[in-house]
Amino acid sequence: MSMDSVNSSRSGTDYRSFRQITRDLKIMSFSCKMADVMEEGVSLVEDLYKRRQPLPLMDAIYFMQPTKENIRIFMSDMSGKIPLYKKAYVFFSSPVQRELVAQIKKDSNVLARIGALSEMNLEYFAIDSQGFTTDHDKALEELFSENAEGSLKYNSCLNMMATRVATVFASMREFPRVHYRVARTIDASTLTTLRDLVPTKLAAGVWNCLARFKAMIPEFPQTETCELLIVDRSIDQIAPIIHEWTYDAMCHDLLCMDGNKYVQEVPSKSGSGTENKEVLLEDHDPIWLELQHASERLHEKMTNFVSKNKAAQLCQARNGYLSTKELQKMVQALPQYSEQIDKLALHVEIAGKLNSTIKEQQLKDVGQLEQDLVFGDAGTKELDISRENKLRLLLVYAAINPDKTRSDKGAKLMQLAGLSADDMIAVSNMRCLCGHDSKKSSAGGFTLKFDLRKKKHGIRKERIGEESKWMLSRFYPILEELIEKLSKGEQPKEEYHCLNDPSPSFRGIPSASTRTSPAYQPAQSMRSRRTDGTWARPWGSDDGYSSDSVLKHISSNIRKLGQRLFVFVIGGATRSELRAAHMLSSKLNREIILGSSSLDDPPQFITKLKMLSTEDLTLDDLQI
């Protein structure tokens, strides 16, 4: 597609969300289905690195990173008397080096077969309507481990990450005011570690890319249009570990899913027994959209959805209650509702598995203790739980008390919990991401004891003035506070610096004069933006198949939003932070977009934590 279609995202009522822009630019595996590609007239999609059948009568579109290896493969495809394809239209995902372009120009045969050569500036992966990653799954290890000493991986990871983050702004034609967390040097005698410099270095790298975009990309903004905050995982060590009680988080944490793939048990086609079927939990599923960020209201939302759904009502009328088996039987009896019933059956099955897991692992007790630790309410509690959950409890405790977990008592507590050597390394490595202090003692079985006679100072403050929360969902990520402060311009100046002073006209929330200016665009509400998927039923369908969020898409609920606010977390973001981005978008009247090197569930983060070293890496260590 042409970049003109991207530019239209900033004009008038044609305002489009982050996911819509990315979808149009077709980062295929993350943003659209194969059917979407086929609808554009593409007959075949193939991997550059796999052996491909020659199609000398057909044209080909190449979308690739501008690396030496990719250029080599492309040249091999298109050189010689009989090329792999008739003509090639080449699109690079980021700026290409001049030497590589010169290499292509040297071969006259290849040059004659090129129909287009363009830089798309698109190297990020949309994981959600308001989230993206740069696909740096090893960022925590490569940037925060002592193994980064003198390593090319440290600089290589930061440079590539900076390029990919910058392409977000190139794609969306946004020029951000770049904020970043500064290195936290204790005093003049303390050496600044490479870990502490990661946000500073990434901010500088992104800024350098943006400077090039301003000079090279037509119509790229010359003044600030949005804000970007760069932090690292050390701002909140508890968010990646604690049990999160939303539907999305529980599915990924407790069901051993592969990405968004869930394996559902369905009746076999032969009619006898069952078979496994892979399904995707994503925006194309309206029930998933409605339940994704629900926690204590999960049952209420499911009941509400079912009450509006004709297929579900038919099932209940004929069967008295909603069960997976009965829903599956209805697929054959009511073919016109088969897709809806399939979706309902899927989520009934998932909800059943989640409830069973929560009961079997006593997760409500575990979750309550986690919340009490965070908010300083923990008393004596003895639990008979799995080793994995003991580890997570101790990791939360280690994040709060990093010094005490390194003491002899801390080692005894880990041994008492029956942790493996790898588990103990993970607890020890929590200090790489710093923490706070508290008290504890242990005796008897696996027991965490706290003095109830004196109120502890928790590392989170209870939210005052908000509606009463379910006790297991009191936890909120630190990122939530940071976003709110940044939106108001109240972030601590000594902790967060800005690379570029704003223009006089820059505002986080549009003023009255800004709202009337041509540069300001009205936009759809955030809830309706999340529903830009392809649905099986038409908009406005009153059969209950569309979720509340989807139905609001057609209610003409158009409102003006302030400038976008981007947050990038180095070292992995969490689903609680992604949920916060969605929630704050409505609260702050701004589209909040969360980016990260990866999106990690607790098991993934714990595995990465075990790869870290407990020794600090200083600037002197990198001197050559």
Side-chain angles (χ1 to χ4, degrees):
M1 63 170 286
S2 71
M3 296 307 290
D4 291 338
S5 57
V6 179
N7 296 337
S8 67
S9 69
R10 301 189 55 81
S11 60
T13 57
D14 198 26
Y15 182 98
R16 292 178 298 145
S17 70
F18 167 76
R19 182 62 173 266
Q20 287 171 314
I21 293 171
T22 306
R23 179 182 171 83
D24 285 348
L25 291 169
K26 294 291 187 291
I27 297 294
M28 291 180 294
S29 61
F30 282 79
S31 299
C32 60
K33 293 177 174 294
M34 188 63 69
D36 300 323
V37 182
M38 299 303 182
E39 285 179 6
E40 299 296 328
V42 177
S43 59
L44 184 65
V45 178
E46 295 186 297
D47 189 331
L48 184 68
Y49 292 98
K50 292 182 178 178
R51 183 182 294 275
R52 286 156 287 138
Q53 177 186 356
L55 298 169
L57 298 180
M58 294 184 68
D59 293 343
I61 298 173
Y62 282 78
F63 181 75
M64 59 188 180
Q65 289 180 309
T67 65
K68 291 181 180 179
E69 177 62 13
N70 288 349
I71 297 297
R72 183 193 66 77
I73 295 174
F74 166 71
M75 297 285 286
S76 175
D77 287 352
M78 301 305 296
S79 62
K81 291 183 178 180
I82 305 178
L84 214 57
Y85 308 107
K86 179 182 177 182
K87 212 169 192 63
Y89 298 83
V90 184
F91 298 91
F92 293 112
S93 58
S94 61
V96 58
Q97 295 178 3
R98 292 181 180 179
E99 309 88 80
L100 296 180
V101 176
Q103 184 179 339
I104 295 174
K105 289 182 176 179
K106 284 182 180 178
D107 193 318
S108 57
N109 286 331
V110 172
L111 193 60
R113 291 163 181 158
I114 294 178
L117 194 65
S118 179
E119 294 173 347
M120 293 293 292
N121 291 307
L122 191 71
E123 280 201 2
Y124 60 91
F125 304 89
I127 54 170
D128 180 86
S129 59
Q130 290 173 230
F132 71 93
T133 74
T134 58
D135 197 29
H136 286 95
D137 203 50
K138 293 186 177 180
L140 201 67
E141 176 187 352
E142 293 179 353
L143 300 178
F144 296 90
S145 172
E146 72 165 348
N147 295 329
E149 180 179 358
S151 172
L152 292 176
K153 289 183 179 180
Y154 180 90
N155 288 324
S156 175
C157 179
L158 278 174
N159 291 338
M160 186 176 293
M161 194 181 296
T163 298
R164 292 183 178 179
V165 171
T167 63
V168 173
F169 300 100
S171 298
M172 303 188 76
R173 292 297 194 268
E174 295 270 22
F175 176 41
R177 185 183 180 201
V178 182
H179 307 263
Y180 62 96
R181 185 193 62 77
V182 298
R184 296 156 296 171
T185 302
I186 298 174
D187 54 50
S189 64
T190 305
L191 290 172
T192 301
T193 67
L194 288 180
R195 294 181 186 126
D196 271 348
L197 283 175
V198 167
T200 305
K201 285 179 172 288
L202 182 62
V206 171
W207 179 251
N208 288 338
C209 291
L210 292 172
R212 291 198 300 271
F213 293 159
K214 286 180 68 176
M216 298 172 58
I217 297 179
E219 298 183 27
F220 191 83
Q222 299 299 301
T223 57
E224 297 84 358
T225 62
C226 64
E227 297 191 75
L228 166 65
L229 173 63
I230 296 175
V231 298
D232 61 42
R233 191 62 270 165
S234 69
I235 62 163
D236 189 349
Q237 313 89 272
I238 296 176
I241 299 299
I242 198 168
H243 282 86
E244 172 78 2
W245 296 89
T246 61
Y247 191 49
D248 181 13
M250 287 192 292
C251 286
H252 288 87
D253 187 4
L254 306 180
L255 298 183
C256 301
M257 292 172 54
D258 177 14
N260 285 342
K261 292 179 184 177
Y262 172 77
V263 179
Q264 182 185 15
E265 194 173 274
V266 298
S268 65
K269 295 178 181 178
S270 63
S272 59
T274 60
E275 61 185 21
N276 291 335
K277 172 187 175 183
E278 279 191 355
V279 292
L280 294 176
L281 301 182
E282 58 180 8
D283 288 2
H284 290 78
D285 179 349
I287 305 181
W288 172 255
L289 267 179
E290 185 64 25
L291 301 179
Q292 184 177 7
H293 299 299
S295 53
E296 69 270 28
R297 295 180 59 214
L298 181 59
H299 178 72
E300 175 190 334
K301 280 183 173 287
M302 176 67 90
T303 303
N304 181 56
F305 190 94
V306 168
S307 70
K308 297 178 181 180
N309 187 276
K310 287 184 179 179
Q313 291 166 7
L314 286 169
C315 290
Q316 289 179 316
R318 292 180 56 169
N319 300 284
Y321 78 107
L322 208 61
S323 72
T324 304
K325 287 186 177 180
E326 295 298 332
L327 283 168
Q328 290 168 343
K329 289 180 181 178
M330 295 297 290
V331 173
Q332 287 80 27
L334 299 167
Q336 69 270 36
Y337 293 114
S338 61
E339 184 177 355
Q340 301 177 39
I341 294 172
D342 279 344
K343 290 282 193 295
L344 285 167
L346 167 66
H347 291 286
V348 168
E349 176 182 309
I350 290 175
K353 284 188 177 181
L354 291 175
N355 285 330
S356 296
T357 302
I358 290 169
K359 289 178 182 178
E360 290 169 5
Q361 298 187 19
Q362 302 181 58
L363 292 184
K364 287 190 176 180
D365 289 334
V366 173
Q368 185 62 60
L369 183 51
E370 289 174 344
Q371 299 285 324
D372 290 344
L373 281 168
V374 171
F375 288 96
D377 301 326
T380 301
K381 186 78 173 179
E382 184 163 346
L383 300 173
D384 181 19
I385 56 178
S386 67
R387 180 179 61 81
E388 289 78 10
N389 285 319
K390 290 177 185 177
L391 171 60
R392 287 174 70 167
L393 270 172
L394 282 169
L395 285 169
V396 171
Y397 185 66
I400 301 170
N401 307 277
D403 294 331
K404 296 193 175 184
T405 51
R406 293 198 299 270
S407 66
D408 291 340
K409 289 184 179 180
K412 289 179 181 178
L413 182 59
M414 287 187 274
Q415 292 174 356
L416 192 63
L419 300 189
S420 67
D422 277 353
D423 291 342
M424 292 183 185
I425 288 173
V427 175
S428 177
N429 283 351
M430 280 299 281
R431 81 180 182 92
C432 291
L433 302 177
C434 63
H436 298 265
D437 195 20
S438 187
K439 291 184 178 181
K440 65 105 190 67
S441 61
S442 61
F446 175 65
T447 306
L448 293 180
K449 285 188 178 180
F450 300 85
D451 187 357
L452 291 178
R453 291 171 297 181
K454 185 177 180 181
K455 174 74 175 178
K456 300 275 179 209
H457 294 290
I459 63 170
R460 292 288 191 284
K461 295 179 180 179
E462 295 278 5
R463 293 296 183 116
I464 300 173
E466 292 189 355
E467 60 183 73
S468 59
K469 284 183 172 287
W470 184 38
M471 290 300 288
L472 288 178
S473 64
R474 290 181 294 160
F475 176 83
Y476 57 91
I478 290 293
L479 204 64
E480 192 173 315
E481 286 187 345
L482 292 178
I483 292 172
E484 288 185 299
K485 288 180 180 178
L486 179 61
S487 183
K488 298 173 184 177
E490 297 175 354
Q491 70 274 24
K493 304 301 181 185
E494 69 279 4
E495 297 178 28
Y496 295 90
H497 289 181
C498 182
L499 279 177
N500 47 324
D501 291 329
S503 303
S505 62
F506 183 85
R507 296 289 187 274
I509 300 297
S511 62
S513 61
T514 307
R515 292 191 187 102
T516 59
S517 77
Y520 182 79
Q521 316 87 25
Q524 295 175 345
S525 71
M526 294 315 306
R527 288 185 63 79
S528 65
R529 281 192 207 172
R530 290 180 52 230
T531 61
D532 53 4
T534 304
W535 309 110
R537 306 291 290 184
W539 293 116
S541 171
D542 194 30
D543 63 358
Y545 183 48
S546 302
S547 68
D548 287 347
S549 300
V550 176
L551 289 175
K552 287 179 181 178
H553 184 90
I554 61 163
S555 66
S556 299
N557 182 20
I558 304 298
R559 64 185 180 186
K560 295 181 178 180
L561 298 182
Q563 293 168 321
R564 286 187 175 104
L565 195 159
F566 296 79
V567 183
F568 191 83
V569 182
I570 308 165
T574 71
R575 295 186 188 276
S576 63
E577 290 164 339
L578 188 56
R579 172 175 53 84
H582 284 270
M583 182 269 292
L584 289 173
S585 290
S586 295
K587 181 178 179 180
L588 302 177
N589 205 28
R590 304 175 70 172
E591 185 178 19
I592 313 296
I593 298 175
L594 176 68
S596 183
S597 48
S598 59
L599 181 66
D600 295 333
D601 302 309
Q604 295 170 313
F605 183 78
I606 292 171
T607 299
K608 293 178 180 182
L609 202 56
K610 293 175 181 179
M611 304 300 294
L612 291 178
S613 168
T614 57
E615 292 187 37
D616 286 333
L617 180 63
T618 67
L619 286 175
D620 285 350
D621 293 327
L622 201 63
Q623 298 301 318
I624 299 176

